[in-house]
Every structure is written in structure tokens, then in C-alpha cells.
Amino acid sequence: MSIFGADENPCERGNVELSIDTASNSGRACTLAGNIAIGIGGSDVEFAISVPPTVEARREGSSFSVDLNFDEPQLAPYLQLKDPDLQADWGGVITRVQANPNNFIIETTAGCIRVSGDST
């Protein structure tokens, strides 16, 4: 949670519940804000992720990666970028997250962003 400058569990989320093909989590709805360097002019980009009370994703993966597909928009987080142009290109409902030890990719209804593991 350090990327958000937040305590350990600011949204009062419970444990992640896993089944063979889904991951879900419940807590209170909240918004987490932060900033991250994404290589545009070498500056940080301010963002916020709004988390609904229940988050649910279809999951796939291996021992080295995880792939979460958010099929239901009402059960998915929302990425808000402070810059309006960046928001138009890459913000919106998060539809998929892919992660491995080196980077992660966030796909939204507008586009996708790859974040290297050293960008925290």
C-alpha cells in the first residue's frame, strides 16, 4: 500500500477469497490516491483507484504470473488519472490486470498501461 501513502488496509478489506477460477474481496467502498512515474516526460502522474464494496475477477495464471479479468464493471475497480488527456487515453473501468515479477499491465475500457516493477 506504500504507492498510495496509506496504512495497511485503508478500505477495511477482508481476505481475498479464491476458487479455481475466481478471486473476490469485500470491504467498504473507497478511493486510493497516489502517483507513479510512467515515463511521460520523466514526471509523476497522479491517479486514484476507486474500489467498489465487492471486487470480483475471473483468474488465470501460473506460478510466475497472475491474470485477473473483471467481467462485471460494477465489480471492478476504476482508474482515474488526474490529467484529462491521460484519462481519455488510459483511464476508466479496469477490465484486466496482468502481473508478473517484472511488471504489471492494467487494461481499462480506454486503453492499457504497463508499469515496471521498479516504479514504486
Side-chain angles (χ1 to χ4, degrees):
M1 299 305 288
S2 63
I3 193 171
F4 301 110
D7 67 17
E8 198 171 297
N9 190 0
C11 299
E12 301 173 5
R13 309 303 290 187
N15 293 328
V16 175
E17 306 235 353
L18 300 174
S19 71
I20 292 172
D21 60 354
T22 62
S24 63
N25 179 259
S26 296
R28 66 179 180 82
C30 71
T31 300
L32 301 167
N35 61 62
I36 193 164
I38 61 171
I40 298 174
S43 63
D44 286 356
V45 173
E46 293 181 48
F47 70 95
I49 296 179
S50 297
V51 183
T54 298
V55 175
E56 184 174 292
R58 186 171 33 88
R59 71 183 184 105
E60 301 171 9
S62 68
S63 59
F64 298 107
S65 67
V66 86
D67 191 347
L68 299 173
N69 297 280
F70 297 94
D71 298 324
E72 301 292 332
Q74 70 274 16
L75 299 176
Y78 183 90
L79 176 63
Q80 177 72 45
L81 299 161
K82 186 173 182 181
D83 181 286
D85 293 330
L86 296 178
Q87 177 63 25
D89 290 340
W90 296 309
V93 174
I94 296 174
T95 58
R96 186 177 188 188
V97 174
Q98 295 174 291
N100 64 49
N102 299 316
N103 60 66
F104 62 92
I105 298 171
I106 300 170
E107 293 183 26
T108 70
T109 50
C112 63
I113 300 171
R114 182 179 69 84
V115 180
S116 297
D118 62 355
S119 294
T120 55

